[in-house]
Amino acid sequence: QVQLVESGGGLVQAGGSLRLSCAASGRTVSNYCKGWFRQAPGKEREIVAAISWHGGTTYYVNSVKGRFTISRDNAKDTVYLQMNSLKPEDTAVYYCAVARDAYGFTSSPHDYGYWGQGTQVTASS
């Protein structure tokens, strides 16, 4: 079984930055596509960013392009989300996830089989 533990969330003023981390344990998933999702109150969970197992392919939802950067360190089996120029509309619970199948690349939440517990990100205006 895979456990994912997120860290780095918090409260910042609009325009500020946060860096989320998600470390995997239980078994290695360094050869799996990983992603970050978020869910705001009253809204459906949405993909924020995804990164292929080798890090060469990434995806960003339009609303975060140019502000957020996803990266990974396979030696540490950890994925990161650097969030700059945060806006109040970025406020949500952020979840990291690992795809069900090794290798490949996907941005569909239906293709992710392992989820972290979530970390709150709040950008105040």
Side-chain angles (χ1 to χ4, degrees):
Q1 192 58 277
V2 177
Q3 291 82 44
L4 302 174
V5 179
E6 299 110 335
S7 60
L11 171 65
V12 296
Q13 290 189 330
S17 298
L18 286 172
R19 187 191 193 209
L20 304 183
S21 299
C22 174
S25 63
R27 67 175 178 89
T28 184
V29 285
S30 60
N31 57 338
Y32 286 68
C33 175
K34 295 180 178 179
W36 286 96
F37 296 77
R38 66 186 178 187
Q39 188 166 19
K43 295 188 177 182
E44 293 186 356
R45 187 173 299 188
E46 65 168 352
I47 178 98
V48 176
I51 187 167
S52 60
W53 69 274
H54 51 73
T57 301
T58 57
Y59 167 87
Y60 297 94
V61 69
N62 284 340
S63 59
V64 309
K65 285 181 180 178
R67 299 188 298 121
F68 290 12
T69 302
I70 189 170
S71 61
R72 62 190 297 159
D73 184 337
N74 285 345
K76 297 181 179 179
D77 216 349
T78 298
V79 62
Y80 306 94
L81 186 67
Q82 178 67 45
M83 304 184 293
N84 299 328
S85 303
L86 281 160
K87 303 177 180 180
E89 51 264 43
D90 295 318
T91 295
V93 177
Y94 283 69
Y95 301 87
C96 70
V98 176
R100 296 180 190 278
D101 300 318
Y103 307 107
F105 178 78
T106 180
S107 61
S108 171
H110 302 292
D111 295 330
Y112 287 79
Y114 306 100
W115 295 84
Q117 81 286 354
T119 185
Q120 177 70 45
V121 171
T122 303
S124 63
S125 58

